[in-house]
Amino acid sequence: MKRGQQLSRYLLQRLGWRIEQEVQVLPQKYVLIAAPHTSNWDFVIGILARSALGLSINFVGKDSLFRGPWGILFRRLGGHPVDRSRSSRYVDGVVRLFEQHEHFALCIAPEGTRKRVERLRTGFYYMALGAKVPIFMAAFDWGHKVIRISPPFWPTGDWEQDREVVEAFFRGVPGFHPELGYGYPVNA
């Protein structure tokens, strides 16, 4: 185990977090969706978890985050800027990234924002479908300080049917701000 991995495990434990995952060996290529995304702290915990697990997972963020000194840091952490005004070209571009790399994993927040949403965005789904890779789901349960990682889910091409599986995994999981989490009761 590398020094950074040990440090990340230690920090997660000191913060009271644990990771539960059914699959110990991940494939060479996959899309990981992490939710609920209700705070910037999700990013910090996610980076620590990625390091603690010894994984190399890329992420995307709005292009404005990649300006100036933060851009240098985010790129070094595996970030890729996204021009959200061009969503269709973006999905195709990510599929090309999967095709160009022997090993490539991408983490996306399916809500697309830290604000409360009524439905998930579908970009992650079409990226996985186009790249012919599985989807793993990571629920950031701030109520119990647990990150639960699902077994692989292979998209069928029928979003309406597959959406039920995705929504069921995240339903009721409290985020940092529970009232903002997708599928979490507003009065919780």
Side-chain angles (χ1 to χ4, degrees), residues 21-28 30 55 136 152:
Q21 67 185 92
E22 295 180 37
V23 177
Q24 299 303 316
V25 179
L26 298 173
Q28 293 181 8
Y30 57 93
L55 300 174
F136 286 85

Side-chain angles (χ1 to χ4, degrees), residues 124-154:
F124 75 90
Y125 182 81
Y126 292 104
M127 289 170 194
L129 195 62
K132 298 176 180 69
V133 299
I135 297 169
F136 286 85
M137 297 171 269
F140 281 57
D141 183 338
W142 281 86
H144 298 96
K145 291 195 173 181
V146 176
I147 298 171
R148 289 184 194 86
I149 303 174
S150 74
F153 172 71
W154 289 89

